[in-house]
């Protein structure tokens, strides 16, 4: 049952991305082009998502636990470190260059565009490299 609800949530997300036009990297890149052909539609999509998420959180936090787990798993870290800043910068730069974020690129696979496949391949390689590099960095830092 848990996987069915995850599938439904993914389908609703993908439909929202498709209906809003956010699978088109040109639309996203035009949002970042404030001096040229600026398109504010991404701001409206994000604003709508914030409203829906805000309402959802208000409803969910009234419960003692989620439907399919014994407790809520909420991050407790509050530290802003170089990993957070670097990862955020890398995400933003990639989004600004490619016009895709990983969440929108997955539904965009249905368009059959080679750019989407290339972008997701680069994301997967990045995940793979991080798994190789990070343990080595941890060993060097340890006393």
């Amino acid at each position: 049952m848990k996987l069915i609800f995850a599938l439904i949530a993914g389908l609703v997300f993908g439909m929202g991305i498709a209906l809003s036009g956010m699978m088109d990297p040109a639309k996203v890149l035009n949002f970042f082009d404030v001096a040229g052909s600026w398109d504010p539609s991404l701001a409206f999509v994000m604003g709508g998502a914030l409203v829906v998420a805000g309402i959802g959180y208000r409803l969910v936090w009234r419960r003692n636990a989620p439907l399919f787990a014994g407790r809520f798993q909420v991050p407790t870290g509050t530290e802003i470190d170089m990993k957070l800043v670097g990862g955020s910068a890398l995400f933003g730069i990639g989004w600004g260059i490619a016009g895709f974020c990983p969440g929108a690129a997955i539904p965009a696979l249905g368009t059959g565009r080679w750019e989407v496949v290339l972008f997701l391949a680069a994301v997967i390689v990045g995940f793979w490299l991080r798994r190789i590099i990070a343990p080595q960095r941890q060993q060097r830092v340890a006393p």
Side-chain angles (χ1 to χ4, degrees):
M1 195 60 136
K2 185 177 180 178
L3 289 176
I4 292 171
F5 278 104
L7 175 66
I8 291 169
L11 288 172
V12 168
F13 176 80
M15 286 176 26
I17 291 291
L19 290 172
S20 66
M22 293 302 125
M23 291 191 322
D24 180 8
K27 193 165 188 67
V28 174
L29 292 173
N30 283 337
F31 173 75
F32 293 122
D33 187 10
V34 293
S37 58
W38 186 62
D39 180 358
S41 59
L42 178 59
F44 291 110
V45 170
M46 288 182 168
L50 285 172
V51 169
V52 170
I55 293 168
Y57 272 103
R58 301 268 303 181
L59 294 173
V60 166
W61 285 119
R62 292 182 182 171
R63 302 180 52 83
N64 293 327
L67 291 175
F68 300 111
R71 65 180 177 84
F72 289 107
Q73 296 183 19
V74 180
T76 57
T78 58
E79 182 180 341
I80 298 175
D81 58 5
M82 285 309 295
K83 283 180 13 181
L84 176 64
V85 172
S88 301
L90 188 60
F91 176 88
I93 291 167
W95 195 22
I97 290 172
F100 289 115
C101 75
I106 293 171
L109 278 171
T111 65
R113 296 177 63 171
W114 66 269
E115 298 96 336
V116 179
V117 175
L118 180 63
F119 174 80
L120 286 173
V123 169
I124 291 168
V125 168
F127 288 157
W128 178 72
L129 285 173
R130 194 254 179 229
R131 292 187 83 183
I132 291 172
I133 294 169
Q136 294 171 354
R137 288 184 69 204
Q138 297 279 338
Q139 290 171 356
R140 277 189 271 149
V141 175

